[in-house]
Amino acid sequence: MNFWSIAISAIAGLGLGLIMVYYKNRDYSNVFVINLKDFTANMRKGQLIDVRKKIENENDKIKGSRHFTPSKVTSKSVNLRRDLSVYLYCENGKLSKKVAKRLSRKGYNNIYVLSEGYENYKANH
């Protein structure tokens, strides 16, 4: 091996290590994935947010929800209250978990994600 191969490998390894440490130390104890019964029983007590695609929201949604794209929900232009719980749903629960983590990093507390998303809601309503 030559010097450059070793140097590039060392830098890549160090970078990967730093990334792993950065994400390992995140605290997401304020993000909760909850079942449909608990979600529907409590969603009116906070801010109900739909992060699905706009066309999906226009076709059908949970009554009273507000629609934001995932990037918009965490931007400064959206006026979410930090003193109220946030209830998120997407199509299957995966995207809303990612958005919940972003909101958590921005200082929001009590973030609830609908387990299995809108598919779960629609199948049971």
Side-chain angles (χ1 to χ4, degrees):
M1 289 189 146
N2 66 29
F3 170 78
W4 291 110
S5 297
I6 294 169
I8 290 172
S9 297
I11 292 170
L14 181 61
L16 183 60
L18 289 172
I19 290 170
M20 290 174 65
V21 167
Y22 176 76
Y23 283 106
K24 181 182 180 198
N25 294 328
R26 294 288 183 170
D27 177 20
Y28 297 115
S29 61
N30 57 344
V31 175
F32 309 93
V33 178
I34 59 175
N35 63 40
L36 178 62
K37 181 181 176 188
D38 291 337
F39 190 88
T40 54
N42 294 297
M43 66 186 182
R44 303 288 177 223
K45 297 176 184 174
Q47 304 166 95
L48 181 58
I49 308 296
D50 180 348
V51 292
R52 297 176 301 153
K53 293 179 181 174
K54 186 175 182 176
I55 190 76
E56 293 169 329
N57 175 269
E58 289 172 349
N59 290 335
D60 202 12
K61 65 181 180 178
I62 297 175
K63 187 176 180 181
S65 67
R66 295 187 293 164
H67 175 263
F68 298 109
T69 62
S71 60
K72 187 95 168 167
V73 120
T74 56
S75 73
K76 291 181 180 182
S77 66
V78 172
N79 191 19
L80 288 182
R81 292 178 50 183
R82 292 180 192 271
D83 62 326
L84 288 177
S85 299
V86 178
Y87 290 82
L88 294 170
Y89 71 94
C90 64
E91 195 60 33
N92 58 20
K94 293 177 183 175
L95 180 59
S96 48
K97 285 181 202 174
K98 290 178 184 177
V99 172
K101 288 180 179 180
R102 278 194 257 154
L103 286 172
S104 175
R105 288 192 300 268
K106 292 201 172 264
Y108 289 87
N109 292 305
N110 300 323
I111 305 161
Y112 300 93
V113 174
L114 176 57
S115 175
E116 300 175 34
Y118 190 74
E119 292 173 353
N120 183 9
Y121 180 84
K122 192 67 175 171
N124 293 288
H125 279 88

